[in-house]
Amino acid sequence: MTGAEMLVECLKREGVEIMFGYPGGAVLPIYDALYGSGIRHILTRHEQGAVHAAEGYARVTGRPGVVLATSGPGATNLVTGIADAYMDSTPLVLFTGQVATDLIGSDSFQEADIIGITMPITKHSYQVRDAADIPRVVREAFHIAATGRPGPVLIDVPKNVANQKAVFEWPERVFIRGYNPTYTPNPTQLSKVTEAIRESRRPLLYVGGGVVHSGAAEELREFAHKTGIPVVSTLMGLGAFPSADPLFVGMLGMHGTFAANRAVMECDLLIAVGARFDDRATGKLERFSPHSKKVHIDIDPAEIGKNVAVDLPLVGDVKRVLSAMLPEVGPVGTKAWIDQIRAWDEQWPLGYKAEPGVLKPQQVLEMLWDATRGEAILTTEVGQHQMWAALFYRFKRPRQWVTSGGLGTMGFGFPAAMGVQLAKPGETVICVAGDASFQMNIQELQTVAENGLPVKVAIINNGFLGMVRQWQQLFYDRRYAESRVGAPDFVKVAEAYGIRGLRAQTPEEAREAIREMLAHPGPVVVDFVVPEEENVFPMVPPGAGTDEMIGRWDD
């Protein structure tokens, strides 16, 4: 069996049904082995589209997304997506072609040191030098990508290794010396945390994407209801706790709700669950939650104390940690605390100023939520539209929200929606995009059309790099340097790819366009034209504390 045939056999044994990629000379032996293998290959129109599609697939299934790209530029085109997956703890297994082993290091045609380039943004990487190693390497790669804190693993395959013949030996078990994630929490630390919860008067759960990754949403709900502790969420944690639950306060951070940020400032016990204290959530670290004792629950010990000093660390899988704590906790007596949070929310509600005949972006998100009854899976690009989606579409369940949180990658949302739709063919999948970010990977309209994927694209079109313009308005005296971005006629672009295109400029037109979009069985692109200078509020200015929010929607 050749190395390429071994690789395909390994993918079958790992249960891979779909992979994303783009062929080239160095991976032709692998593509030849894939031909007729039964594994569905989705040919994207750019390698970046392939890796983001694989991220979307992985985010809604919890299984590693698989990508194949050629050497040199094919491999380097994956880099943004690999960094994105690394920052958001998304499991991927990526195969890159490489020049033959005797040419490595000679600057030969389409050679790039992809191992060196991606070392800081992968959980692990391999370069295979002997075809006989392929089964072990692939087995280990899938194991590493999906266990512990999930992440991307890269396997670089030189062309002569793909052609080399060897005996196929599939390892039934994986043993990797030095790789042993901690799943079970330390019982002494766990007792200290439950005692801190019993003693607290204003506790707060601060939940992140780790709750989603570990499948701990049910345990989180039970824990919050049993103790009566209110919940705030990071951008990546949305959906881990139902937005409609009375204990849900909202998203915290730069564009979090006033009540959520105020609760973080005033709580006496902050329990971070699968969250990593990133700067968009904390604001100025010196002013972050100054009155609280801090608990940090995370499977990655490297995150403990990285950004914020914590009093009680609990290293372990979130699902196991919450399950272990549930029998040990009871009602904390948080009625007065919750009443105070509700009073803040009533004083500073989330909203916007509606104007007759003018379509506001927040209205579009509210209409999408209403028309889908909150059941759609949303992907987003990055920018103002992303924040409006986070604030105005109320999520019911985990893995319903797919966005680029850590790296903030424009061009992520549309190809991610393709991966989501392939993983969940029976679901309504909507990509909420900005007019600028949609143009980053607009070529994937052909992939959508070719594969008949019924992805719906809602473009919030304000003619600008919206978030850049908002910062220029607020902090650079309205000097809009290079933030106005021209765009094509999106309706005609969609139609050129054989996809239905619609446009809406008023609330009435938007409601009708959404009805048509959801009723159409195939892909649809809707261009929602909104005011240029609508801002995302509330907002914590960069470098400020979360108690220094500016801008109310009704100012």
Side-chain angles (χ1 to χ4, degrees):
M1 191 180 285
T2 67
E5 291 167 341
M6 285 188 190
L7 196 154
V8 173
E9 178 61 25
C10 291
L11 295 179
K12 289 180 180 176
R13 295 195 181 208
E14 290 289 348
V16 175
E17 297 172 339
I18 296 174
M19 64 187 300
F20 305 88
Y22 202 99
V27 287
L28 281 182
I30 301 173
Y31 270 93
D32 190 63
L34 268 175
Y35 192 74
S37 67
I39 295 174
R40 185 178 180 185
H41 178 273
I42 302 298
L43 174 65
T44 58
R45 293 308 185 267
H46 192 289
E47 288 87 352
Q48 188 180 357
V51 68
H52 292 324
E55 286 185 272
Y57 178 91
R59 291 275 293 274
V60 295
T61 63
R63 301 194 300 272
V66 181
V67 181
L68 174 59
T70 194
S71 64
T76 55
N77 281 343
L78 298 177
V79 170
T80 298
I82 296 173
D84 191 273
Y86 187 73
M87 293 282 278
D88 287 344
S89 306
T90 305
L92 296 182
V93 176
L94 307 110
F95 297 92
T96 50
Q98 185 54 273
V99 299
T101 49
D102 60 332
L103 293 175
I104 290 176
S106 66
D107 293 336
S108 60
F109 178 68
Q110 292 196 331
E111 180 191 1
D113 177 12
I114 195 62
I115 298 293
I117 291 168
T118 60
M119 188 72 75
I121 52 171
T122 51
K123 195 172 172 187
H124 194 63
S125 6
Y126 297 88
Q127 187 174 72
V128 186
R129 294 293 186 116
D130 188 327
D133 291 335
I134 286 178
R136 174 186 59 79
V137 167
V138 174
R139 191 93 165 90
E140 289 180 1
F142 275 86
H143 178 73
I144 293 170
T147 54
R149 181 178 181 171
V153 178
L154 186 139
I155 303 174
D156 197 35
V157 185
K159 188 170 183 178
N160 61 317
V161 175
N163 286 321
Q164 181 188 358
K165 288 196 171 182
V167 176
F168 182 89
E169 294 184 14
W170 180 247
E172 293 302 326
R173 294 180 66 252
V174 176
F175 172 75
I176 306 169
R177 190 165 54 188
Y179 180 71
N180 189 24
T182 301
Y183 291 98
T184 305
N186 180 292
T188 304
Q189 285 297 97
L190 195 140
S191 296
K192 289 179 181 177
V193 172
T194 54
E195 184 181 345
I197 291 172
R198 279 194 292 273
E199 292 174 351
S200 66
R201 292 295 172 267
R202 301 187 308 280
L204 189 66
L205 284 158
Y206 153 42
V207 305
V211 176
V212 178
H213 293 311
S214 72
E218 190 56 45
E219 288 76 10
L220 175 67
R221 276 196 294 275
E222 190 176 347
F223 187 85
H225 288 158
K226 189 173 182 183
T227 57
I229 300 177
V231 178
V232 299
S233 173
T234 67
L235 178 71
M236 297 302 290
L238 290 174
F241 196 80
S243 301
D245 193 293
L247 287 173
F248 187 66
V249 184
M251 185 173 75
L252 82 161
M254 178 171 277
H255 291 293
T257 64
F258 183 89
N261 282 337
R262 190 64 189 263
V264 171
M265 290 298 294
E266 300 298 333
C267 67
D268 65 358
L269 180 68
L270 186 71
I271 309 167
V273 189
R276 61 185 178 87
F277 296 97
D278 75 289
D279 61 297
R280 282 294 190 272
T282 64
K284 189 175 185 178
L285 284 175
E286 293 82 355
R287 297 177 69 91
F288 178 70
S289 195
H291 311 299
S292 67
K293 180 181 284 187
K294 295 175 184 65
V295 175
H296 192 180
I297 303 170
D298 204 292
I299 197 166
D300 185 356
E303 287 296 335
I304 304 294
K306 187 177 80 175
N307 296 326
V308 170
V310 296
D311 302 280
L312 294 169
L314 255 181
V315 176
D317 174 67
V318 168
K319 188 179 181 77
R320 293 196 194 184
V321 173
L322 292 178
S323 297
M325 281 201 291
L326 271 170
E328 308 299 325
V329 295
V332 180
T334 53
K335 183 178 182 309
W337 172 228
I338 291 172
D339 287 346
Q340 175 61 76
I341 292 172
R342 285 177 182 155
W344 287 328
D345 200 36
E346 288 170 7
Q347 185 181 358
W348 294 86
L350 193 62
Y352 61 92
K353 188 182 290 183
E355 298 174 39
V358 177
L359 179 61
K360 291 297 185 79
Q362 301 92 334
Q363 284 177 306
V364 176
L365 271 303
E366 286 182 335
M367 289 178 192
L368 286 172
W369 179 83
D370 187 51
T372 59
R373 297 180 298 281
E375 295 291 346
I377 300 176
L378 256 62
T379 73
T380 77
E381 303 287 353
V382 170
Q384 284 183 312
H385 63 277
Q386 179 190 30
M387 294 299 117
W388 285 316
L391 294 170
F392 288 90
Y393 196 95
R394 285 164 277 172
F395 299 95
K396 294 182 173 181
R397 62 184 188 276
R399 303 196 187 279
Q400 195 187 358
W401 169 244
V402 179
T403 195
S404 172
L407 196 64
T409 305
M410 292 175 66
F412 168 87
F414 180 44
M418 299 190 311
V420 172
Q421 191 75 80
L422 283 157
K424 302 285 181 182
E427 302 271 359
T428 299
V429 180
I430 302 174
C431 169
V432 179
D435 49 301
S437 53
F438 183 58
Q439 294 184 73
M440 289 267 182
N441 272 313
I442 198 169
Q443 77 285 344
E444 300 306 337
L445 283 169
Q446 179 60 27
T447 312
V448 162
E450 199 169 85
N451 289 279
L453 302 176
V455 169
K456 317 300 182 189
V457 182
I459 302 172
I460 308 297
N461 185 351
N462 58 12
F464 271 101
L465 282 166
M467 194 61 85
V468 174
R469 187 210 55 75
Q470 177 169 334
W471 283 40
Q472 289 173 328
Q473 176 185 343
L474 297 176
F475 311 121
Y476 293 88
D477 197 24
R478 273 200 165 90
R479 291 161 60 84
Y480 295 157
E482 302 298 329
S483 55
R484 182 181 288 282
V485 177
D489 183 327
F490 289 117
V491 174
K492 289 182 178 175
V493 169
E495 289 172 350
Y497 282 99
I499 291 172
R500 188 157 188 184
L502 302 167
R503 178 172 292 112
Q505 302 185 69
T506 67
E508 294 72 25
E509 290 175 359
R511 196 167 287 108
E512 178 58 21
I514 290 171
R515 189 195 65 75
E516 284 187 51
M517 176 183 85
L518 295 175
H520 185 67
V524 181
V525 174
V526 186
D527 184 19
F528 294 99
V529 181
V530 301
E532 291 184 342
E533 292 195 328
E534 188 73 13
N535 287 332
V536 181
F537 286 133
M539 179 182 187
V540 176
T546 52
D547 60 332
E548 298 174 298
M549 305 187 77
I550 61 168
R552 281 184 54 160
W553 59 271
D554 56 352
D555 282 344

